[in-house]
Amino acid sequence: MHAIIRAPYVLITKVFTEIKSILGSFRLSIMAISKRDWLIIISLFIIVLFPRGLMLGRWTYIEGTTWIERSDNFRGGLISGNFEETYQMTHPGVTTMWISTIFYSLGVIITGNNLSSVDILVIEQMGHVLVVSMLTILIYALLVKVFNRTVAILSILFIAFDPYHILLSRLIYHEALVASFLMISILTIYLYLKDGKTKGYLVLSGMSAGLAFLSKITTFLLIPFIPLLILIFRMNLFSKRRNIKKKNIKKVIKEIVIWILCAFFIFFVLWPAMWVSPQNTVSKLGSASVGVMSGSLYVYNETLSTPSIFYYFTRLPFLITPIVLIYAVVTFLYLLISLKKKKNSFGLIPALIILIFTLYFVTIMSFSPKKTTWYILIYNVVMDVVAGLGLYLCVGYIFSNLKSIYTHLNSFISSKKVQKIFALSLIFLSITPQVYSSLPLCPYYSLYHNPIKATFFGTGEEYYGGNGEGLGDAARYLNKKEDARNLTVALGEGWVSNLDIFFDGNTTTVENAMSPNTDYIIFYRKQYLRGYDPELVHNYIETMEAEYIVRIRGMIFVWIYPRSTISFSNRDISVSNRNPLAGENVTITVLIQNLGDESETAIVRIYDGDPNEGGEVLAQDITITIDPYKSSTVSTIWNATPGQHKIFITAENVDPIKAVTSFDNAEIELDVK
């Protein structure tokens, strides 16, 4: 009994000892790095950082401002000592909020708390960019040990210019962190199992898993995978010489327990909510995990139809660039040949491990109705690494075959200088398409379309409603206006905060679009494509020319209109009989309001049919004057003719200049027997 009670204490003590050992080893490893290796590390860091750090603060996605607010609350909980406030969301996104908190605090120290909303956005985005870039370099260091330096460099170059990885690295969001922590955890556990001696890798794998758990609850999928991996390696379960002994079983259990302890040690230490209310915090996460599997539909770039269980698998080839797909296929063929020959070829085991984990992760995620390709960024990272291995294999294969085919050129081909030039040329030709796939999109990496998919299946642009792209540009246009700080702009409720962070003036929801206090109305792409606010969309987008349009790569994302001071809607049209008989006289009346602070003189026209399609004029050029904030009625008598009719009514200011901001139209349907 005493031994049982003492066991956890002994394990925790060992964990602390290993962490201390890791820190010591890390210091020695840093000191042992050669100048050449430092040059490679610094160069790769700059390459990774470059596309991610360009033009930050130009836009933010729909949840970006929400995570800024959550980070503010997280920071407030830390400062006030109300640590329960550090639980903000079921994701739980703790790593995201820690990064935002740290870099916001640094910004305040540097600027003296003189930060605008855009400054805060840029600082927190840069924080995430720097952290993800550093984690990517750590992945490089691990890949050097797992494969070799060349494979590691090629893999990082593919990751550096992966459009989706760049996109999610720049957002105040957790998916890039999730992918990085998952990759680090898997690579380090492989190195531990391969080495068998360096327990630091086991501890580092557990700690990385803990950081992944703090980032998103779906990463708890590591818990069955890593222990099973330890079991398979230690017991040699796929070998004829299985090592299922009591002593070995104890070792496996001990390693699994250490890994889990390290993970939950980090999970506990870095989340203050766990210090004061662990049971309540874990309970909320438990409820959230159920929600992940039963949550509402959440699909980007698609229509609102319910995604099938094959949603992810049908999109996997198109989430990566064509060049990555080509070299990934090379690696797949290499792995299949190696497995068929039962040969433990170079990189076989680690490549299989990361691919099997990715397949397992994507499969489990496929059972959730809440889907978006952002949730499986680990797939992109793994495929970039697999492509790096494939490119390395291609270079080696070409050299070996050239030597055997052209024996008379053997001495020439054997020249190290020639080999380097050839290898670098092939690498350059392979990496260039990856760079071209991403950099021209800056800062809107979300608009990447795989050219293979675009050629055979279309880009899907007609379904893409946008995630906030273009609203920063719209705000910058409005900020140039005179007295911009006193302007009020109305737009869809889901996008108010995305504009507000960039706009110097005031914002309100679309429900207040026709309020006298509103100066401009903004329509966003999703609002138009999904049929939100159809009456407003019809009265403005489908009828009038916008004052300003934001186009990105040929797609319209934002329409900006000055609010019309003359206002009426379908509800303001009345008729003496909605179902008249042929030959009956029908009185058509419309109530027109003046929402401005000056008198308006308007010309009213009534048509039977769309005037843009040759509708018949029923009443032409009726002139009315309406006092400020008052209304007036216009009527006409129509002799009904048989059939279905649409009665269109238009009104605009008599002054063509004022008509730009003083107009409206509406329609009503009549069925004449």
Side-chain angles (χ1 to χ4, degrees):
M1 181 64 72
H2 179 72
I4 294 173
I5 295 171
R6 182 176 169 77
Y9 171 77
V10 173
L11 282 171
I12 292 171
T13 303
K14 285 188 176 182
V15 168
F16 274 106
T17 303
E18 288 298 333
I19 292 173
K20 185 178 178 181
S21 175
I22 288 173
L23 294 174
S25 300
F26 179 74
R27 184 175 63 84
L28 292 173
S29 299
I30 294 291
M31 294 172 64
I33 295 176
S34 66
K35 289 182 179 180
R36 178 190 175 190
D37 288 334
W38 270 119
L39 181 62
I40 293 172
I41 289 170
I42 293 169
S43 299
L44 286 176
F45 179 75
I46 292 170
I47 290 170
V48 173
L49 185 67
F50 177 69
R52 288 158 180 78
L54 283 175
M55 299 176 71
L56 292 174
R58 299 290 297 178
W59 70 285
T60 180
Y61 76 116
I62 189 169
E63 286 188 66
T65 53
T66 304
W67 278 105
I68 290 176
E69 183 180 343
R70 288 169 183 161
S71 299
D72 287 343
N73 296 335
F74 181 91
R75 184 169 59 254
L78 290 175
I79 294 170
S80 67
N82 184 13
F83 295 142
E84 286 192 38
E85 282 294 306
T86 59
Y87 180 99
Q88 285 293 311
M89 187 60 185
T90 52
H91 289 75
V94 174
T95 51
T96 299
M97 294 185 289
W98 265 118
I99 293 169
S100 291
T101 294
I102 291 168
F103 279 86
Y104 172 86
S105 302
L106 288 173
V108 169
I109 293 170
I110 294 169
T111 64
N113 203 21
N114 188 25
L115 297 174
S116 68
S117 57
V118 177
D119 292 335
I120 294 170
L121 174 66
V122 171
I123 287 169
E124 295 190 11
Q125 283 182 333
M126 180 53 74
H128 285 78
V129 165
L130 287 170
V131 171
V132 172
S133 298
M134 288 187 285
L135 290 173
T136 305
I137 296 305
L138 177 55
I139 291 172
Y140 160 76
L142 295 171
L143 289 173
V144 170
K145 294 181 178 295
V146 170
F147 299 106
N148 60 34
R149 182 186 287 110
T150 305
V151 173
I153 291 173
L154 297 176
S155 299
I156 297 304
L157 288 175
F158 280 126
I159 292 173
F161 296 102
D162 185 304
Y164 281 118
H165 194 275
I166 296 172
L167 166 67
L168 295 173
S169 301
R170 291 163 56 91
L171 302 180
I172 303 172
Y173 202 47
H174 40 262
E175 295 302 338
L177 295 170
V178 165
S180 300
F181 292 136
L182 287 175
M183 196 67 178
I184 291 167
S185 185
I186 294 166
L187 292 176
T188 47
I189 197 65
Y190 167 74
L191 287 172
Y192 170 69
L193 294 171
K194 175 189 173 185
D195 180 87
K197 298 176 182 178
T198 311
K199 288 185 180 178
Y201 287 131
L202 175 65
V203 174
L204 187 56
S205 176
M207 292 170 69
S208 186
L211 290 168
F213 300 162
L214 286 171
S215 302
K216 197 171 184 183
I217 56 172
T218 53
T219 59
F220 278 90
L221 292 173
L222 271 174
I223 290 179
F225 184 83
I226 297 293
L228 182 61
L229 196 62
I230 294 172
L231 182 67
I232 291 170
F233 264 77
R234 290 292 180 241
M235 299 293 186
N236 294 326
L237 294 184
F238 290 131
S239 172
K240 292 180 180 179
R241 291 183 171 184
R242 295 181 181 176
N243 189 13
I244 306 176
K245 297 179 180 178
K246 186 176 180 180
K247 183 179 179 181
N248 210 34
I249 291 172
K250 285 183 178 180
K251 185 178 181 181
V252 168
I253 293 171
K254 179 182 176 183
E255 289 173 340
I256 292 172
V257 170
I258 289 174
W259 183 86
I260 292 173
L261 277 175
C262 289
F264 284 98
F265 171 77
I266 292 296
F267 187 80
F268 179 85
V269 168
L270 294 183
W271 196 0
M274 290 292 294
W275 307 348
V276 294
S277 185
Q279 187 174 353
N280 187 40
T281 303
V282 171
S283 176
K284 289 178 183 177
L285 282 180
S287 302
S289 63
V290 175
V292 168
M293 302 307 292
S294 60
S296 59
L297 176 67
Y298 193 59
V299 182
Y300 289 116
N301 300 11
E302 307 291 336
T303 59
L304 288 176
S305 57
T306 303
S308 73
I309 195 172
F310 302 108
Y311 172 82
Y312 287 129
F313 289 101
T314 56
R315 283 153 181 78
L316 291 181
F318 311 121
L319 296 179
I320 53 179
T321 60
I323 195 68
V324 167
L325 182 59
I326 289 168
Y327 285 116
V329 169
V330 170
T331 301
F332 292 151
L333 293 173
Y334 168 77
L335 296 177
L336 287 173
I337 293 169
S338 299
L339 289 171
K340 188 176 180 180
K341 292 182 178 179
K342 296 181 180 180
K343 183 181 177 183
N344 188 10
S345 304
F346 169 75
L348 174 68
I349 301 301
L352 284 175
I353 289 172
I354 59 176
L355 284 169
I356 290 169
F357 174 78
T358 304
L359 178 63
Y360 155 71
F361 187 84
V362 173
T363 301
I364 299 299
M365 293 292 287
S366 295
F367 287 96
S368 169
K370 193 174 182 181
K371 294 182 178 73
T372 164
T373 49
W374 290 13
Y375 292 170
I376 56 169
L377 184 64
I378 181 63
Y379 164 78
N380 288 67
V381 175
V382 167
M383 293 303 286
D384 289 334
V385 171
V386 168
L389 176 59
L391 177 52
Y392 174 80
L393 293 170
C394 277
V395 174
Y397 179 80
I398 291 170
F399 271 122
S400 61
N401 278 272
L402 280 175
K403 287 181 180 181
S404 60
I405 295 171
Y406 302 105
T407 52
H408 59 285
L409 295 177
N410 212 358
S411 59
F412 175 73
I413 294 170
S414 298
S415 166
K416 288 186 177 181
K417 188 175 182 180
V418 172
Q419 288 183 3
K420 281 184 179 180
I421 292 172
F422 179 83
L424 288 173
S425 299
L426 183 58
I427 290 168
F428 177 79
L429 291 173
S430 301
I431 298 299
T432 299
Q434 184 81 342
V435 176
Y436 183 75
S437 296
S438 55
L439 277 187
L441 297 172
C442 183
Y444 300 111
Y445 297 100
S446 54
L447 303 185
Y448 171 74
H449 296 295
N450 183 293
I452 299 174
K453 178 178 180 289
T455 302
F456 294 101
F457 305 103
T459 61
E461 288 179 358
E462 63 271 26
Y463 302 123
Y464 183 59
N467 281 300
E469 302 94 333
L471 286 172
D473 294 323
R476 283 182 282 274
Y477 168 78
L478 291 169
N479 287 341
K480 293 177 183 177
K481 289 188 171 293
E482 188 177 350
D483 204 25
R485 292 185 180 277
N486 294 321
L487 293 178
T488 298
V489 176
L491 71 161
E493 186 172 358
W495 308 105
V496 170
S497 60
N498 295 77
L499 180 75
D500 198 45
I501 198 169
F502 301 103
F503 183 43
D504 293 338
N506 308 299
T507 52
T508 186
T509 58
V510 75
E511 288 77 12
N512 301 313
M514 299 313 295
S515 164
N517 297 321
T518 299
D519 299 294
Y520 285 89
I521 302 173
I522 285 182
F523 296 93
Y524 193 63
R525 183 177 178 84
K526 185 175 287 185
Q527 187 179 0
Y528 175 69
L529 292 181
R530 301 285 166 82
Y532 303 152
D533 311 303
E535 191 172 321
L536 268 179
V537 167
H538 171 74
N539 289 348
Y540 283 85
I541 294 180
E542 296 175 1
T543 307
M544 305 299 296
E545 185 177 343
E547 177 183 316
Y548 187 75
I549 289 176
V550 177
R551 282 186 175 89
I552 305 171
R553 296 183 68 81
M555 292 187 287
I556 298 177
F557 277 85
V558 181
W559 295 259
I560 300 177
Y561 292 88
R563 178 189 61 81
S564 173
T565 52
I566 290 178
S567 175
F568 61 97
S569 68
N570 298 349
R571 294 184 297 273
D572 296 315
I573 303 174
S574 61
V575 293
S576 56
N577 188 353
R578 292 296 296 265
N579 301 105
L581 298 175
E584 180 180 340
N585 286 331
V586 179
T587 302
I588 303 170
T589 304
V590 59
L591 178 69
I592 302 174
Q593 301 178 73
N594 177 6
L595 302 178
D597 54 9
E598 296 180 356
S599 294
E600 293 278 357
T601 301
I603 297 175
V604 182
R605 300 180 180 93
I606 303 176
Y607 301 87
D608 178 10
D610 190 338
N612 296 320
E613 298 178 3
E616 179 187 352
V617 178
L618 302 182
Q620 187 170 8
D621 296 346
I622 302 172
T623 302
I624 59 171
T625 300
I626 312 173
D627 292 332
Y629 308 115
K630 300 293 184 180
S631 60
S632 180
T633 59
V634 172
S635 298
T636 191
I637 296 175
W638 170 56
N639 187 260
T641 57
Q644 296 283 341
H645 295 266
K646 273 190 177 181
I647 305 300
F648 283 76
I649 301 176
T650 67
E652 64 181 26
N653 198 289
V654 293
D655 184 343
I657 297 175
K658 288 187 177 181
V660 174
T661 59
S662 182
F663 61 87
D664 211 342
N665 61 84
E667 63 188 65
I668 189 171
E669 293 186 2
L670 295 177
D671 184 12
V672 180
K673 303 295 184 183

